[in-house]
mmCIF file of all heavy atoms in Angstrom:
data_model
loop_
_atom_site.group_PDB
_atom_site.id
_atom_site.type_symbol
_atom_site.label_atom_id
_atom_site.label_comp_id
_atom_site.label_asym_id
_atom_site.label_seq_id
_atom_site.Cartn_x
_atom_site.Cartn_y
_atom_site.Cartn_z
ATOM 1 N N THR C 1126 -14.451 -23.090 -20.776
ATOM 2 C CA THR C 1126 -15.483 -23.955 -20.321
ATOM 3 C C THR C 1126 -16.678 -23.868 -21.297
ATOM 4 O O THR C 1126 -17.072 -22.733 -21.555
ATOM 5 C CB THR C 1126 -15.988 -23.558 -18.960
ATOM 6 O OG1 THR C 1126 -14.843 -23.658 -17.997
ATOM 7 C CG2 THR C 1126 -16.974 -24.629 -18.392
ATOM 8 N N SER C 1127 -17.048 -25.000 -21.958
ATOM 9 C CA SER C 1127 -18.189 -24.956 -22.661
ATOM 10 C C SER C 1127 -19.474 -24.691 -22.025
ATOM 11 O O SER C 1127 -19.651 -25.538 -21.010
ATOM 12 C CB SER C 1127 -18.227 -26.149 -23.574
ATOM 13 O OG SER C 1127 -17.111 -26.370 -24.380
ATOM 14 N N VAL C 1128 -20.354 -23.957 -22.515
ATOM 15 C CA VAL C 1128 -21.642 -23.816 -21.862
ATOM 16 C C VAL C 1128 -22.604 -24.040 -22.962
ATOM 17 O O VAL C 1128 -22.668 -23.406 -23.984
ATOM 18 C CB VAL C 1128 -21.746 -22.417 -21.312
ATOM 19 C CG1 VAL C 1128 -23.135 -22.146 -20.723
ATOM 20 C CG2 VAL C 1128 -20.728 -22.096 -20.286
ATOM 21 N N HIS C 1129 -23.640 -24.930 -22.788
ATOM 22 C CA HIS C 1129 -24.652 -25.250 -23.652
ATOM 23 C C HIS C 1129 -25.820 -24.168 -23.704
ATOM 24 O O HIS C 1129 -26.236 -23.891 -22.553
ATOM 25 C CB HIS C 1129 -25.209 -26.683 -23.337
ATOM 26 C CG HIS C 1129 -24.191 -27.656 -23.411
ATOM 27 N ND1 HIS C 1129 -23.611 -28.195 -24.601
ATOM 28 C CD2 HIS C 1129 -23.586 -28.462 -22.455
ATOM 29 C CE1 HIS C 1129 -22.728 -29.130 -24.456
ATOM 30 N NE2 HIS C 1129 -22.588 -29.233 -23.128
ATOM 31 N N ASN C 1130 -26.220 -23.970 -24.736
ATOM 32 C CA ASN C 1130 -27.289 -22.884 -24.803
ATOM 33 C C ASN C 1130 -28.541 -23.715 -25.127
ATOM 34 O O ASN C 1130 -28.972 -23.969 -26.236
ATOM 35 C CB ASN C 1130 -27.178 -21.826 -25.940
ATOM 36 C CG ASN C 1130 -28.107 -20.836 -26.025
ATOM 37 O OD1 ASN C 1130 -29.199 -20.817 -25.268
ATOM 38 N ND2 ASN C 1130 -27.892 -19.814 -26.744
ATOM 39 N N PHE C 1131 -29.272 -24.111 -24.032
ATOM 40 C CA PHE C 1131 -30.421 -24.886 -24.159
ATOM 41 C C PHE C 1131 -31.716 -24.219 -24.763
ATOM 42 O O PHE C 1131 -32.683 -24.807 -25.252
ATOM 43 C CB PHE C 1131 -30.880 -25.548 -22.701
ATOM 44 C CG PHE C 1131 -29.825 -26.488 -22.287
ATOM 45 C CD1 PHE C 1131 -28.971 -26.082 -21.266
ATOM 46 C CD2 PHE C 1131 -29.767 -27.707 -22.894
ATOM 47 C CE1 PHE C 1131 -28.021 -26.994 -20.780
ATOM 48 C CE2 PHE C 1131 -28.801 -28.711 -22.355
ATOM 49 C CZ PHE C 1131 -27.981 -28.296 -21.442
ATOM 50 N N ILE C 1132 -31.571 -22.933 -24.845
ATOM 51 C CA ILE C 1132 -32.807 -22.254 -25.570
ATOM 52 C C ILE C 1132 -32.820 -22.497 -27.093
ATOM 53 O O ILE C 1132 -33.848 -22.388 -27.670
ATOM 54 C CB ILE C 1132 -32.573 -20.683 -25.311
ATOM 55 C CG1 ILE C 1132 -32.805 -20.402 -23.862
ATOM 56 C CG2 ILE C 1132 -33.523 -19.821 -26.137
ATOM 57 C CD1 ILE C 1132 -32.373 -18.895 -23.345
ATOM 58 N N LYS C 1133 -31.604 -22.692 -27.664
ATOM 59 C CA LYS C 1133 -31.547 -22.951 -29.123
ATOM 60 C C LYS C 1133 -31.652 -24.396 -29.577
ATOM 61 O O LYS C 1133 -31.418 -24.773 -30.580
ATOM 62 C CB LYS C 1133 -30.265 -22.392 -29.719
ATOM 63 C CG LYS C 1133 -30.273 -20.918 -29.613
ATOM 64 C CD LYS C 1133 -28.898 -20.356 -30.180
ATOM 65 C CE LYS C 1133 -28.939 -18.857 -30.202
ATOM 66 N NZ LYS C 1133 -27.924 -18.327 -30.944
ATOM 67 N N VAL C 1134 -31.975 -25.307 -28.562
ATOM 68 C CA VAL C 1134 -32.037 -26.658 -28.927
ATOM 69 C C VAL C 1134 -33.248 -27.124 -29.656
ATOM 70 O O VAL C 1134 -34.326 -26.499 -29.431
ATOM 71 C CB VAL C 1134 -32.005 -27.579 -27.408
ATOM 72 C CG1 VAL C 1134 -32.329 -28.909 -27.801
ATOM 73 C CG2 VAL C 1134 -30.748 -27.323 -26.700
ATOM 74 N N ASP C 1135 -33.046 -27.995 -30.648
ATOM 75 C CA ASP C 1135 -34.080 -28.515 -31.523
ATOM 76 C C ASP C 1135 -34.652 -29.741 -30.849
ATOM 77 O O ASP C 1135 -34.122 -30.858 -31.070
ATOM 78 C CB ASP C 1135 -33.671 -28.687 -32.867
ATOM 79 C CG ASP C 1135 -34.715 -29.203 -33.805
ATOM 80 O OD1 ASP C 1135 -35.856 -29.382 -33.391
ATOM 81 O OD2 ASP C 1135 -34.415 -29.361 -35.053
ATOM 82 N N TYR C 1136 -35.601 -29.542 -29.828
ATOM 83 C CA TYR C 1136 -36.204 -30.692 -29.262
ATOM 84 C C TYR C 1136 -36.833 -31.643 -30.056
ATOM 85 O O TYR C 1136 -36.870 -32.962 -29.801
ATOM 86 C CB TYR C 1136 -37.072 -30.159 -28.029
ATOM 87 C CG TYR C 1136 -36.262 -29.608 -26.925
ATOM 88 C CD1 TYR C 1136 -36.217 -28.167 -26.882
ATOM 89 C CD2 TYR C 1136 -35.560 -30.294 -26.061
ATOM 90 C CE1 TYR C 1136 -35.492 -27.545 -25.858
ATOM 91 C CE2 TYR C 1136 -34.633 -29.719 -25.004
ATOM 92 C CZ TYR C 1136 -34.709 -28.287 -24.888
ATOM 93 O OH TYR C 1136 -33.981 -27.800 -23.904
ATOM 94 N N SER C 1137 -37.339 -31.247 -31.220
ATOM 95 C CA SER C 1137 -38.097 -32.205 -32.059
ATOM 96 C C SER C 1137 -37.162 -33.137 -32.654
ATOM 97 O O SER C 1137 -37.392 -34.321 -32.762
ATOM 98 C CB SER C 1137 -38.896 -31.359 -33.153
ATOM 99 O OG SER C 1137 -39.899 -30.558 -32.572
ATOM 100 N N ALA C 1138 -36.072 -32.635 -33.065
ATOM 101 C CA ALA C 1138 -34.947 -33.454 -33.599
ATOM 102 C C ALA C 1138 -34.452 -34.400 -32.565
ATOM 103 O O ALA C 1138 -34.145 -35.640 -32.888
ATOM 104 C CB ALA C 1138 -33.797 -32.535 -34.221
ATOM 105 N N ILE C 1139 -34.257 -33.987 -31.294
ATOM 106 C CA ILE C 1139 -33.851 -34.891 -30.368
ATOM 107 C C ILE C 1139 -34.881 -35.945 -30.128
ATOM 108 O O ILE C 1139 -34.467 -37.128 -29.971
ATOM 109 C CB ILE C 1139 -33.507 -34.032 -28.962
ATOM 110 C CG1 ILE C 1139 -32.377 -33.205 -29.212
ATOM 111 C CG2 ILE C 1139 -33.382 -35.060 -27.793
ATOM 112 C CD1 ILE C 1139 -32.051 -32.325 -27.957
ATOM 113 N N ASN C 1140 -36.139 -35.551 -30.141
ATOM 114 C CA ASN C 1140 -37.089 -36.656 -29.914
ATOM 115 C C ASN C 1140 -37.167 -37.615 -30.989
ATOM 116 O O ASN C 1140 -37.291 -38.863 -30.823
ATOM 117 C CB ASN C 1140 -38.483 -36.019 -29.707
ATOM 118 C CG ASN C 1140 -38.709 -35.410 -28.410
ATOM 119 O OD1 ASN C 1140 -38.119 -35.766 -27.350
ATOM 120 N ND2 ASN C 1140 -39.424 -34.396 -28.250
ATOM 121 N N LEU C 1141 -36.994 -37.179 -32.261
ATOM 122 C CA LEU C 1141 -36.865 -38.116 -33.326
ATOM 123 C C LEU C 1141 -35.647 -39.063 -33.237
ATOM 124 O O LEU C 1141 -35.770 -40.203 -33.482
ATOM 125 C CB LEU C 1141 -36.969 -37.378 -34.656
ATOM 126 C CG LEU C 1141 -38.200 -36.715 -35.133
ATOM 127 C CD1 LEU C 1141 -38.002 -35.795 -36.393
ATOM 128 C CD2 LEU C 1141 -39.317 -37.752 -35.251
ATOM 129 N N PHE C 1142 -34.514 -38.467 -32.883
ATOM 130 C CA PHE C 1142 -33.392 -39.218 -32.721
ATOM 131 C C PHE C 1142 -33.561 -40.291 -31.587
ATOM 132 O O PHE C 1142 -33.282 -41.505 -31.913
ATOM 133 C CB PHE C 1142 -32.207 -38.378 -32.404
ATOM 134 C CG PHE C 1142 -30.971 -39.239 -32.015
ATOM 135 C CD1 PHE C 1142 -30.181 -39.678 -33.041
ATOM 136 C CD2 PHE C 1142 -30.617 -39.352 -30.602
ATOM 137 C CE1 PHE C 1142 -29.039 -40.497 -32.641
ATOM 138 C CE2 PHE C 1142 -29.465 -40.145 -30.325
ATOM 139 C CZ PHE C 1142 -28.651 -40.738 -31.274
#
Side-chain angles (χ1 to χ4, degrees):
T1126 305
S1127 296
V1128 178
H1129 300 287
N1130 186 351
F1131 292 106
I1132 293 173
K1133 294 185 176 184
V1134 172
D1135 185 351
Y1136 288 104
S1137 296
I1139 292 173
N1140 286 332
L1141 287 173
F1142 171 79

